[in-house]
């Protein structure tokens, strides 16, 4: 089974702190994604990566950056956390490459709930 | 804009059928998905349908696709308390099949 692991389930940070959210997948997927989930807004894409060292902005990249130095790991960075970044953050991965097994299905981690005070 | 629309809440009695509706944005979307999110967990794929199909059935789940109206529905027969969750529909747009567009999610509450 595909496993997507997010390093922290719950974090509490103070305004202005730097925050790292780590995500690791074990299926050699090419694509990795970071979403945030807020009630009534669904999932909104922050950034995604389709290869090592490659990244593309999603719909709400402001205030975030990402790093993908290895294929299996995708990190989300909040340089200076703010209270409006309190949210649930979901990492996901997918096969990519448009191959036969690629139905576009996303495999999600369990989420990291971040509270910024 | 790109909005996949769902109603926010649905409440059903145990044993009844649930129907969750979704309106998506692009009639050329390749795949359409239903994901389930249980409390405190990430999303898991429930089922998906390829755009050249009208219906897909998988045990208690029936997916109906109306491409003309860009309408997708998920019917859960004999709904159980374990079906209580948030259900998200998502589409895979033709211009970037890797970037799914998600709806707002429908919270299904099943009461005895």
């Amino acid at each position: 089974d595909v496993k997507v692991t997010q390093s922290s389930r719950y974090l509490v940070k103070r305004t202005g702190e730097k925050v790292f959210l780590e995500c690791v997948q074990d299926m050699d997927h090419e694509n990795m994604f970071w979403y945030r989930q807020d009630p009534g807004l669904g999932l909104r894409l922050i950034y995604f990566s389709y290869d090592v060292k490659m990244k593309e902005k999603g719909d709400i990249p402001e205030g975030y950056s990402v790093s993908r130095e290895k294929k299996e790991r995708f990190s989300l960075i909040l340089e200076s956390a703010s209270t409006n970044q309190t949210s649930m953050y979901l990492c996901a991965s997918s096969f990519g490459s448009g191959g036969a097994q690629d139905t576009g299905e996303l495999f999600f981690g369990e989420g990291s709930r971040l509270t910024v005070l | 804009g790109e909005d996949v629309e769902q109603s926010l809440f649905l409440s059903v009695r145990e044993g009844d059928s649930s129907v969750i509706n979704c309106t998506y944005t692009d009639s050329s979307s390749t795949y359409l998905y239903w994901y389930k999110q249980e409390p405190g967990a990430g999303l898991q794929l429930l089922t998906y349908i390829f755009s050249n199909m009208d219906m897909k059935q998988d045990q208690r789940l029936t997916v109906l696709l109306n491409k003309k109206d860009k309408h997708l529905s998920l019917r859960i027969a004999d709904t159980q308390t374990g079906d209580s969750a948030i259900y998200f529909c998502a589409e895979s747009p033709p211009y970037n099949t890797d970037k799914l567009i998600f709806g707002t999610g429908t919270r299904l509450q099943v009461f005895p």
Side-chain angles (χ1 to χ4, degrees):
Chain A
D1 281 349
V2 175
K3 194 162 176 65
V4 179
T5 304
Q6 295 185 228
S7 55
S8 304
R9 291 296 306 275
Y10 301 95
L11 301 96
V12 179
K13 298 291 182 180
R14 296 203 175 277
T15 301
E17 282 192 83
K18 192 169 185 175
V19 182
F20 291 89
L21 298 179
E22 304 281 336
C23 175
V24 177
Q25 50 94 4
D26 65 359
M27 272 296 289
D28 201 34
H29 283 173
E30 298 201 0
N31 298 334
M32 295 190 75
F33 306 81
W34 275 105
Y35 290 88
R36 67 177 279 176
Q37 180 182 5
D38 300 288
L41 297 178
L43 272 66
R44 293 181 290 167
L45 182 63
I46 305 172
Y47 268 96
F48 75 100
S49 168
Y50 50 89
D51 201 352
V52 175
K53 297 191 187 295
M54 306 298 283
K55 61 185 179 185
E56 274 196 34
K57 293 180 180 179
D59 301 316
I60 52 163
E62 296 78 18
Y64 303 95
S65 62
V66 290
S67 171
R68 194 165 180 202
E69 296 296 317
K70 293 185 177 181
K71 192 175 185 179
E72 67 270 18
R73 188 180 297 270
F74 193 36
S75 303
L76 180 69
I77 303 150
L78 289 67
E79 291 288 343
S80 178
S82 63
T83 54
N84 63 12
Q85 292 178 309
T86 291
S87 187
M88 169 72 91
Y89 291 88
L90 293 167
C91 175
S93 68
S94 68
F95 283 102
S97 297
Q101 62 185 345
D102 183 16
T103 62
E105 178 186 356
L106 294 182
F107 297 83
F108 283 86
E110 295 203 323
S112 299
R113 184 166 293 282
L114 172 66
T115 301
V116 183
L117 302 176
Chain B
E2 296 177 343
D3 284 324
V4 177
E5 297 183 349
Q6 301 178 239
S7 54
L8 290 180
F9 298 101
L10 178 65
S11 185
V12 299
R13 189 179 298 277
E14 191 174 15
D16 287 352
S17 292
S18 309
V19 179
I20 303 171
N21 294 302
C22 170
T23 303
Y24 61 98
T25 64
D26 194 328
S27 58
S28 302
S29 287
T30 314
Y31 289 96
L32 295 128
Y33 310 83
W34 284 104
Y35 281 83
K36 178 182 180 182
Q37 184 182 35
E38 296 184 352
L43 280 69
Q44 279 195 304
L45 182 68
L46 206 53
T47 186
Y48 68 89
I49 187 167
F50 193 54
S51 57
N52 67 354
M53 298 168 65
D54 297 325
M55 186 182 87
K56 181 178 181 181
Q57 188 151 3
D58 183 3
Q59 298 182 337
R60 293 190 296 121
L61 305 179
T62 304
V63 178
L64 295 178
L65 175 59
N66 180 331
K67 288 202 319 186
K68 175 176 168 291
D69 294 337
K70 292 184 280 188
H71 185 263
L72 182 73
S73 68
L74 173 70
R75 178 177 180 270
I76 306 172
D78 187 25
T79 312
Q80 303 297 307
T81 53
D83 295 323
S84 294
I86 303 176
Y87 292 81
F88 291 91
C89 71
E91 63 176 326
S92 174
Y95 52 84
N96 193 334
T97 54
D98 288 328
K99 278 177 65 176
L100 302 193
I101 301 172
F102 284 86
T104 53
T106 299
R107 183 179 293 274
L108 174 65
Q109 183 174 9
V110 182
F111 59 93

